[in-house]
Amino acid sequence: MKHALKETGMTRFLDAGDVATLVRRIGVPVAIMQMADCVRQDFLRWDAFEKSARLASHSPVGVIELMPVSDGVQFAFKYVNGHPRNARHALPTVMACGMLAEVETGFPLLLADLTLATALRTAATSVLAARAMARPGARTMALIGNGAQAEFQSLAFHAGLGIETVRAFDIDAHATARLMRNFAAVPGLNIVPTRSVREALDSADIVTTVTADKTRATILTPDMIRPGMHLNAVGGDCPGKTELHVDILHRARIMVEYAPQSRIEGEIQQWPEAPVSELWQVLSGAVPGRVSADDVTIFDSVGFALEDYSALRWLHAAAIAHHAGQFIELVALPPDPRDLYGWMMKPDIAMPGAMSDVPGKAVALA
């Protein structure tokens, strides 16, 4: 494979449409479960990875982040934003792209849109954590915040944990109506609209909070929490952005992805010295996710670069299997690497926009 890459100089490219077509072909629930398997495999190789908290550039209206990780064989990074007010501009609140490269040469193997894959991997990691922490037999989930992540979380918990009823609430009733419309034909999954957070939590075994506002909110308060609940706290994912009252943390077993990052960005930014377990510890069995049926458990999820590595390697494998995307000359590879200038000055170098005119350079979806 390496020799072929060096000869062709081609990087596989998946644009947003390619990724959407690929996921539709595979099926969203199947894609989420496959990605959950990749996340699990990679978290169980925790010590193999060079890890760091993401590099974040904050502004009053949002955040732009770079998220790198490597296992010494492949390097991955994601560029991602979080802008809660983007709806005013008809833009998603989260947009992302990423790259997978081989460490031996630095050659970029894959460049892909990750906006959709981020939603998939967030849902996949959520259900992976819930399998380890929630009480067995959970069938009802409260879903607080019915934005772009809502369908993916619902499908993940339906396919991966057997959730049958989602009690949905959003301050925008149109968001809940969209969720119900999108799932009108999904068998075995019942979306129940509710009028408040408290009503949504009624009879819920699992609570997923995935709100977007960049503020220290208290979406859940201690009086709403019953013994045995599992809280999947997804929306609090940057400094100054939370969803849970701090007293809920004091009475719960807390699991995070990567503690150095979560103490800055997660719910535990409200309690920096909080005792926590990391996801890899629970998945490996080194630490129990739940000790008793009455434990309140929290997955304080902020999103970690290792999950994006898993998403990129899943995308790469799926694209190869389904002949998805196209190949592009992303980097310059002159015949003589020392003569970059001479290569540039050759008149027969393809100009931008000429890609589609070169036979054999595009691989269409079958």
Side-chain angles (χ1 to χ4, degrees):
M1 183 176 180
K2 291 178 184 176
H3 294 304
L5 287 170
K6 289 175 183 176
E7 289 171 2
T8 62
M10 295 297 190
T11 298
R12 189 180 293 267
F13 173 58
L14 298 173
D15 67 17
D18 293 329
V19 176
T21 302
L22 183 61
V23 172
R24 284 199 308 271
R25 176 175 299 164
I26 294 169
V28 179
V30 173
I32 291 174
M33 291 300 100
Q34 289 179 352
M35 199 172 290
D37 286 340
C38 288
V39 172
R40 185 178 186 279
Q41 292 164 13
D42 291 332
F43 270 83
L44 289 176
R45 297 194 299 127
W46 184 257
D47 290 338
F49 288 91
E50 178 184 345
K51 302 173 286 291
S52 64
R54 54 189 159 205
L55 176 65
S57 175
H58 293 277
S59 72
V61 294
V63 62
I64 294 174
E65 300 167 333
L66 289 177
M67 302 171 66
V69 69
S70 175
D71 67 350
V73 177
Q74 293 182 319
F75 173 90
F77 78 86
K78 181 172 81 172
Y79 164 95
V80 64
N81 78 306
H83 285 70
R85 303 176 190 173
N86 266 5
R88 302 176 184 178
H89 310 292
L91 289 171
T93 59
V94 175
M95 296 174 284
C97 60
M99 181 181 289
L100 184 69
E102 61 177 22
V103 169
E104 182 179 349
T105 65
F107 191 90
L109 303 172
L110 176 69
L111 176 66
D113 169 76
L114 286 185
T115 306
L116 175 56
T118 294
L120 292 168
R121 69 87 161 138
T122 301
T125 308
S126 291
V127 76
L128 194 62
R131 283 175 172 175
M133 301 187 81
R135 286 192 296 194
R139 292 295 177 264
T140 302
M141 180 173 78
L143 181 61
I144 312 303
N146 301 161
Q149 180 68 208
E151 284 86 353
F152 300 95
Q153 291 285 332
S154 299
L155 282 176
F157 279 84
H158 177 56
L161 210 67
I163 289 296
E164 299 169 350
T165 301
V166 174
R167 298 179 60 81
F169 174 74
D170 196 291
I171 57 174
D172 179 3
H174 293 94
T176 306
R178 184 213 70 243
L179 176 63
M180 297 177 66
R181 183 172 63 251
N182 283 342
F183 281 173
V186 176
L189 182 59
N190 184 30
I191 308 297
V192 178
T194 61
R195 295 166 295 181
S196 68
V197 172
R198 190 176 298 275
E199 182 182 342
L201 266 62
D202 183 39
S203 75
D205 307 297
I206 295 170
V207 182
T208 290
T209 56
V210 59
T211 59
D213 283 346
K214 189 178 180 182
T215 183
R216 283 191 178 273
T218 51
I219 305 299
L220 301 184
T221 54
D223 58 299
M224 299 178 182
I225 308 304
R226 299 188 308 276
M229 274 185 168
H230 172 64
L231 310 183
N232 179 38
V234 179
D237 59 0
C238 69
K241 184 182 178 188
T242 61
E243 297 178 310
L244 310 185
H245 191 287
V246 67
D247 287 347
I248 297 175
L249 304 178
H250 292 153
R251 57 184 282 196
R253 296 180 62 85
I254 305 170
M255 182 172 69
V256 300
E257 291 132 318
Y258 181 56
Q261 179 175 296
S262 297
R263 294 191 190 280
I264 298 170
E265 301 179 350
E267 295 297 330
I268 59 172
Q269 66 184 274
Q270 304 177 82
W271 184 24
E273 68 277 16
V276 301
S277 301
E278 290 182 322
L279 180 58
W280 71 271
Q281 294 175 306
V282 176
L283 293 180
S284 69
V287 176
R290 171 179 293 274
V291 175
S292 75
D294 287 341
D295 282 344
V296 173
T297 57
I298 298 174
F299 178 41
D300 184 5
S301 175
V302 299
F304 182 50
L306 184 51
E307 295 154 36
D308 299 307
Y309 170 91
S310 303
L312 281 163
R313 77 176 182 89
W314 177 84
L315 272 177
H316 193 222
I320 291 171
H322 291 271
H323 308 289
Q326 60 181 307
F327 289 100
I328 60 173
E329 294 179 353
L330 183 64
V331 295
L333 292 178
D336 180 356
R338 296 168 296 182
D339 191 14
L340 183 61
Y341 179 84
W343 171 84
M344 176 186 70
M345 296 304 292
K346 288 183 177 180
D348 59 346
I349 295 176
M351 297 298 292
M355 182 72 184
S356 60
D357 299 328
V358 182
K361 296 242 178 143
V363 178
L365 284 166

